[in-house]
Amino acid sequence: IEEKNSAFIRDTMEGVNSADISALLDELNADMAKYVIDILDNEVGAEIIEDLEEDTRTKFLENFTPKEVADYITEMDSDDAVDIINELPAKTREEVISEIIDPDTAAHIHELMRYDEDCAGGLMAKEMIIANLNWNIVQTIEEIRRQRENVDRIYSVYVVDDKYKLLGKVSVKDILLANDNTHISEIYDDDVISVETYMDEEEVADIMRKYDLDVVPVVNLQGKLVGRITIDDIVDVITDQAEEDRQLMSGISSDVEEDDTIWVILKARLPWLIIGLVGGIVGAYVIRGFEDQIQTITGLALFIPLIMATGGNVGVQSSTLVVQSLATKSVFTDSLGKRLLKMVAIAMFTGLVLGSISFLVVYLYGEVKLGLVVAIALQAVVLLASFTGTATPLILDKLGINPALASGPFITTANDMLGITVYLLIANLLL
Amino acid sequence: IEEKNSAFIRDTMEGVNSADISALLDELNADMAKYVIDILDNEVGAEIIEDLEEDTRTKFLENFTPKEVADYITEMDSDDAVDIINELPAKTREEVISEIIDPDTAAHIHELMRYDEDCAGGLMAKEMIIANLNWNIVQTIEEIRRQRENVDRIYSVYVVDDKYKLLGKVSVKDILLANDNTHISEIYDDDVISVETYMDEEEVADIMRKYDLDVVPVVNLQGKLVGRITIDDIVDVITDQAEEDRQLMSGISSDVEEDDTIWVILKARLPWLIIGLVGGIVGAYVIRGFEDQIQTITGLALFIPLIMATGGNVGVQSSTLVVQSLATKSVFTDSLGKRLLKMVAIAMFTGLVLGSISFLVVYLYGEVKLGLVVAIALQAVVLLASFTGTATPLILDKLGINPALASGPFITTANDMLGITVYLLIANLLL
């Protein structure tokens, strides 16, 4: 590449998959990468640009004229094109759009830019094959031929009426096997699952997963067919969702990666650490309230960490189970009362096991009464932590907040404070 | 349903999607569910059985004779059929297999049962359309017609030589548009990505995600085409993986759900809780080592929770970022030294911010020297926790253990103990 031997590059790249080229270019500097892309076909170039990582792409496209960007974008599926346009600075965005020559592409992009990124409208693409109910097979194959340039993969042919209302679908296999004079209305399948433009992306993911769909048509409020969403976009939605949950669970407040700058990472990490710190300060005040006892009863302070750690762990476990039920939308055969009873039973038994172990340890250490206090406090803390751990995600979910937040530092901090208070209160009462 | 009005049920069910019927049957008792399935078509019944939740299905199939199960299984794709057979008790399994009439289905199932569930061979199905390199379009369409019964969705037609070695693929679209006398060898695309039977399912998921594939052919060691994996199976792999990570992060040691029995849940939750408890007991011993100081210096015990909480939070954050990098297989442009330097810089700054806040709080409380001790201890704890949080997942990954384990109670417990020790050591040195 350094010697800019273009014929050699083109030969080498031929047959190599675009995703592999992208991975390679991610590591090159922007100048060289542009040089490589310029040599290749527009279509291959477009695929490579799609596959680049977002950061690389942003730096990369700065070296292109709006005209060049517009040419590449025209080669892409409309949903990917819009995603890339949305990454550009506002001014460049306008310039690129004005340079798009093909009126259909421009219209599609304008339409798709209207939708919020996180809803079905923001995920869908316009490229699909649509057949009118009254066409026959010959007309339909003619349409497929006409669209072959734009549509990479044919999933199904969608069937609409004269007003573009979605009526059903017909598979390419059935078209292939039907007689030339057959009308679409005779062979199409009216049992088609569709989603609405305003539907949340996670809801779309749930539907596609539930019904095992590779592609789902998108209709607007009037039932008019406006686009389609493919499973590869949904795979991204599911992966992003898992990542978001993981970050919420670990107290990272925004989407960062290890190779972001120090400041970006600090900004994402500090908020929850400070909240945890405030929790620790509150804890200090609580302990100070019982200072006399801690000074007189040797051993009381020793078990503060044990109580805290257990409360935190139990809380996180409980909330994770609830978050998981919410995520998989499990149908519960048990009533709320029965589930509550079960939670209490599990907590009681857990408290019994942990309490017995710690009583034994403290007893061997020579403090019978303190052992009792620790055991009873553990029982109480496990029960309380199970309750807050179960209730918090349910409440967050009702409020429309991602319940995974409840598995993170939030629950841990709350349970730490609760645990210390309960422990010292019980000690105060019994000693 | 109670009145067993079969005509009514059949009419109502017609046109209702099988996934919806399954959700309904999940809530019925096994007898009634069997009754409903018996009424419906074998094909629809098979789809419903596939969509049932595993627990329900197990109970459900107990009411069927091996012959009935075999009939339903014959209607399924071979990968789903094998999954269901593997759920059956060993004896029933043999009985069901012996009842399968269709020799092809039986051979497919025997072949697929050989593979481990978590590798490409265990995910693949046998249903696909294969064309010989030397066929023409007419012969190929003939083969598609012949296979129409077995193959629900045609993705691509795979092209093989006489020895069944995978050479490439050809899309249905291209077959549709080609001339009848064209030979497959003229139109097929030899740029086909395939996976090997022994490849791990997560590796297959990464490849399909990277190259945006809906379906990938599976070849054996000799390059012979033996099956195909579709994206819907991969969606399940990704979802399961996310769930597994979430459970590891929250200290739940096996795959449980809220509606499992109390004992199953307890067995999954207790191990990590007991490990946390042991950590707490170790912590108690550490504190006891410094008991004299705690008794003489008022306020020293107050900040134990604060130090612990911060150490735990920082450790989990650090490990999550590493786990995420490992999961997305990010390519690092920075060297290991530079990454280490960055980690230290972030930790130093974090320690500075948290230390300053807590110094201020302790200072206002009237203890300058103690404030200094807390601030210095926080700085040290943050640095240590960042280090263990970063190193642990990397080490686990090298050992072939899921690194997400490091974001859970493991790191928290370790950092709790480390934090207390460091805090009390520094206090010992400075006060």
Side-chain angles (χ1 to χ4, degrees):
Chain A
I1 294 176
E2 309 240 327
E3 288 162 16
K4 306 217 165 186
N5 180 341
S6 64
F8 173 74
I9 296 175
R10 203 169 337 176
D11 284 356
T12 322
M13 293 297 182
E14 197 137 324
V16 177
N17 196 291
S18 60
D20 293 322
I21 304 182
S22 295
L24 201 79
L25 295 189
D26 270 336
E27 292 176 75
L28 281 182
N29 71 42
D31 262 5
M32 282 194 196
K34 180 177 188 317
Y35 175 74
V36 173
I37 299 241
D38 281 346
I39 298 173
L40 299 166
D41 265 5
N42 257 9
E43 200 181 326
V44 179
E47 273 178 46
I48 293 173
I49 292 173
E50 270 178 50
D51 284 332
L52 286 175
E53 293 207 15
E54 194 178 322
D55 297 347
T56 323
R57 182 160 54 219
T58 308
K59 267 181 277 169
F60 187 74
L61 290 182
E62 283 169 12
N63 292 322
F64 284 74
T65 64
K67 175 88 190 71
E68 285 172 320
V69 177
D71 285 348
Y72 284 119
I73 277 180
T74 309
E75 296 286 341
M76 296 177 190
D77 271 1
S78 48
D79 55 341
D80 300 317
V82 171
D83 288 345
I84 288 173
I85 289 179
N86 281 332
E87 284 170 23
L88 298 171
K91 191 171 159 256
T92 326
R93 204 182 299 169
E94 291 309 314
E95 288 170 350
V96 168
I97 294 175
S98 68
E99 291 283 2
I100 295 173
I101 298 165
D102 181 44
D104 278 356
T105 309
H108 285 165
I109 286 175
H110 269 292
E111 187 195 331
L112 292 180
M113 283 182 74
R114 279 188 6 230
Y115 295 105
D116 189 35
E117 234 190 303
D118 301 332
C119 69
L123 282 177
M124 72 184 185
K126 302 294 295 179
E127 289 78 9
M128 55 188 164
I129 295 179
I130 302 174
N132 189 293
L133 188 67
N134 303 313
W135 288 355
N136 60 28
I137 295 296
V138 176
Q139 284 170 299
T140 309
I141 292 186
E142 191 52 47
E143 172 69 13
I144 295 177
R145 226 181 275 269
R146 210 176 61 76
Q147 293 277 350
R148 70 189 296 188
E149 280 286 304
N150 298 322
V151 181
D152 290 337
R153 280 177 267 195
I154 305 177
Y155 294 87
S156 279
V157 174
Y158 292 114
V159 180
V160 297
D161 65 12
D162 294 333
K163 284 177 176 155
Y164 259 70
K165 198 165 141 36
L166 177 69
L167 297 176
K169 59 172 199 266
V170 56
S171 72
V172 178
K173 187 175 70 173
D174 289 336
I175 294 174
L176 200 67
L177 300 174
N179 209 303
D180 276 2
N181 300 319
T182 314
H183 277 79
I184 291 293
S185 57
E186 299 165 43
I187 58 166
Y188 85 96
D189 177 8
D190 63 355
D191 183 16
V192 61
I193 291 162
S194 61
V195 297
E196 278 105 39
T197 44
Y198 55 83
M199 213 179 245
D200 185 79
E201 58 179 7
E202 282 163 38
E203 226 173 310
V204 177
D206 286 340
I207 289 176
M208 292 187 74
R209 204 156 26 173
K210 181 173 170 197
Y211 296 108
D212 263 346
L213 304 174
D214 292 333
V215 59
V216 69
V218 183
V219 297
N220 66 11
L221 275 174
Q222 288 82 43
K224 215 183 105 175
L225 178 64
V226 291
R228 53 101 183 131
I229 297 173
T230 49
I231 189 81
D232 54 315
D233 296 319
I234 294 302
V235 169
D236 295 340
V237 170
I238 295 172
T239 313
D240 287 352
Q241 181 58 26
E243 205 162 278
E244 193 188 322
D245 284 358
R246 194 151 45 185
Q247 292 188 319
L248 280 175
M249 281 176 74
S250 60
I252 298 172
S253 59
S254 64
D255 183 21
V256 291
E257 271 159 53
E258 245 195 309
D259 58 355
D260 281 330
T261 65
I262 293 180
W263 302 115
V264 171
I265 294 179
L266 276 172
K267 232 171 59 190
R269 292 179 63 164
L270 274 177
W272 274 112
L273 290 179
I274 290 173
I275 290 173
L277 194 74
V278 171
I281 292 168
V282 172
Y285 275 91
V286 171
I287 297 177
R288 195 168 62 148
F290 297 89
E291 204 153 25
D292 293 346
Q293 273 151 308
I294 292 178
Q295 296 288 338
T296 46
I297 305 160
T298 46
L300 195 55
L302 303 190
F303 298 99
I304 291 178
L306 186 151
I307 301 277
M308 273 178 65
T310 306
N313 286 343
V314 169
V316 169
Q317 284 185 342
S318 300
S319 70
T320 300
L321 284 177
V322 176
V323 168
Q324 185 179 302
S325 299
L326 289 170
T328 53
K329 295 210 167 54
S330 308
V331 191
F332 286 107
T333 32
D334 300 345
S335 65
L336 193 73
K338 220 170 153 189
R339 284 170 65 194
L340 213 69
L341 217 70
K342 193 166 156 184
M343 186 207 84
V344 172
I346 292 173
M348 294 301 283
F349 192 86
T350 306
L352 205 68
V353 172
L354 300 182
S356 309
I357 298 175
S358 44
F359 174 76
L360 211 74
V361 171
V362 186
Y363 175 79
L364 292 176
Y365 167 76
E367 296 266 10
V368 184
K369 255 191 146 178
L370 183 63
L372 223 68
V373 168
V374 172
I376 294 173
L378 265 180
Q379 183 67 265
V381 166
V382 169
L383 204 61
L384 267 170
S386 298
F387 186 76
T388 54
T390 307
T392 318
L394 290 174
I395 295 169
L396 288 179
D397 190 55
K398 278 263 181 294
L399 296 175
I401 301 169
N402 185 341
L405 186 63
S407 297
F410 189 64
I411 281 287
T412 320
T413 306
N415 280 326
D416 283 358
M417 302 313 107
L418 218 62
I420 296 173
T421 314
V422 168
Y423 172 52
L424 295 175
L425 268 176
I426 289 175
N428 195 17
L429 238 76
L430 295 187
L431 292 178
Chain B
I1 293 173
E2 309 241 329
E3 288 161 14
K4 307 217 164 183
N5 180 338
S6 65
F8 172 74
I9 296 175
R10 203 170 336 177
D11 283 356
T12 322
M13 293 297 183
E14 195 137 326
V16 177
N17 196 293
S18 60
D20 293 322
I21 303 181
S22 293
L24 201 79
L25 295 189
D26 270 335
E27 292 175 77
L28 281 180
N29 70 42
D31 263 5
M32 283 196 195
K34 179 174 188 322
Y35 176 73
V36 173
I37 300 242
D38 280 346
I39 297 173
L40 299 167
D41 266 6
N42 256 12
E43 198 181 328
V44 179
E47 274 178 44
I48 294 174
I49 291 173
E50 270 179 50
D51 284 331
L52 285 175
E53 295 205 15
E54 194 178 322
D55 296 349
T56 322
R57 182 162 50 219
T58 309
K59 267 181 278 171
F60 188 73
L61 290 182
E62 285 169 12
N63 293 321
F64 285 75
T65 64
K67 174 90 191 68
E68 285 171 319
V69 178
D71 285 348
Y72 284 119
I73 277 181
T74 310
E75 296 287 338
M76 297 179 191
D77 270 2
S78 48
D79 54 343
D80 300 317
V82 170
D83 289 344
I84 289 172
I85 288 179
N86 280 332
E87 285 169 23
L88 297 172
K91 190 171 159 256
T92 325
R93 206 181 298 169
E94 292 307 316
E95 288 169 351
V96 169
I97 294 176
S98 67
E99 290 284 0
I100 295 173
I101 298 165
D102 182 45
D104 279 355
T105 309
H108 286 165
I109 286 175
H110 268 293
E111 186 193 335
L112 292 180
M113 283 181 74
R114 278 190 3 231
Y115 295 105
D116 187 34
E117 233 190 303
D118 300 333
C119 69
L123 282 176
M124 74 184 185
K126 303 294 294 181
E127 288 78 9
M128 56 188 165
I129 295 179
I130 302 175
N132 188 293
L133 189 68
N134 303 315
W135 288 356
N136 61 26
I137 295 295
V138 176
Q139 283 171 298
T140 310
I141 291 185
E142 193 49 50
E143 171 70 10
I144 295 178
R145 226 181 277 268
R146 210 177 61 77
Q147 291 279 350
R148 72 190 296 188
E149 278 287 304
N150 299 325
V151 182
D152 290 336
R153 281 177 267 195
I154 305 177
Y155 294 88
S156 279
V157 174
Y158 293 115
V159 181
V160 296
D161 64 13
D162 293 335
K163 285 181 175 150
Y164 260 70
K165 198 165 141 36
L166 177 68
L167 297 175
K169 59 171 199 267
V170 57
S171 73
V172 178
K173 188 174 69 173
D174 289 336
I175 295 174
L176 200 67
L177 300 175
N179 210 303
D180 276 2
N181 300 320
T182 314
H183 276 79
I184 292 294
S185 56
E186 299 165 43
I187 56 165
Y188 86 98
D189 178 8
D190 63 355
D191 183 16
V192 61
I193 292 162
S194 62
V195 298
E196 279 104 41
T197 41
Y198 56 83
M199 213 181 245
D200 185 77
E201 59 178 6
E202 283 163 38
E203 225 175 311
V204 177
D206 285 339
I207 288 175
M208 292 188 75
R209 204 153 31 170
K210 180 172 170 199
Y211 297 108
D212 262 347
L213 304 174
D214 291 334
V215 59
V216 70
V218 183
V219 297
N220 66 11
L221 274 174
Q222 289 80 41
K224 211 182 108 176
L225 178 65
V226 290
R228 54 99 181 132
I229 297 172
T230 49
I231 187 83
D232 53 315
D233 295 320
I234 294 303
V235 169
D236 295 340
V237 170
I238 295 172
T239 313
D240 287 350
Q241 182 57 26
E243 206 162 277
E244 192 189 324
D245 283 358
R246 196 151 45 186
Q247 292 188 321
L248 280 176
M249 282 176 73
S250 60
I252 298 172
S253 60
S254 65
D255 184 20
V256 291
E257 270 160 53
E258 246 195 308
D259 56 357
D260 281 330
T261 65
I262 292 179
W263 301 115
V264 172
I265 295 179
L266 276 172
K267 230 171 59 190
R269 291 180 64 164
L270 275 177
W272 276 111
L273 290 179
I274 290 173
I275 289 172
L277 193 74
V278 171
I281 291 168
V282 173
Y285 275 91
V286 172
I287 297 177
R288 195 168 63 148
F290 298 89
E291 205 155 24
D292 293 345
Q293 274 150 311
I294 292 177
Q295 295 288 340
T296 47
I297 305 159
T298 46
L300 194 56
L302 302 190
F303 298 99
I304 290 177
L306 185 150
I307 300 278
M308 273 178 64
T310 306
N313 286 343
V314 169
V316 170
Q317 284 185 342
S318 300
S319 70
T320 301
L321 285 178
V322 176
V323 169
Q324 184 180 302
S325 298
L326 290 170
T328 54
K329 298 212 165 53
S330 307
V331 189
F332 287 107
T333 34
D334 301 345
S335 65
L336 192 73
K338 221 172 153 188
R339 282 170 68 193
L340 212 71
L341 217 71
K342 194 165 154 186
M343 185 207 84
V344 173
I346 292 174
M348 293 302 281
F349 192 87
T350 306
L352 206 70
V353 172
L354 301 182
S356 308
I357 297 176
S358 45
F359 175 75
L360 211 74
V361 170
V362 187
Y363 176 79
L364 292 175
Y365 167 76
E367 295 267 10
V368 184
K369 252 190 148 175
L370 183 62
L372 223 67
V373 167
V374 172
I376 293 171
L378 267 179
Q379 182 66 267
V381 166
V382 169
L383 203 60
L384 267 170
S386 298
F387 186 76
T388 54
T390 306
T392 317
L394 289 175
I395 294 169
L396 289 179
D397 190 53
K398 277 263 181 295
L399 296 175
I401 300 169
N402 184 340
L405 185 63
S407 298
F410 190 65
I411 280 287
T412 320
T413 307
N415 280 324
D416 282 359
M417 300 314 107
L418 219 62
I420 297 173
T421 313
V422 168
Y423 172 53
L424 293 176
L425 268 177
I426 290 175
N428 195 17
L429 241 75
L430 295 185
L431 290 178

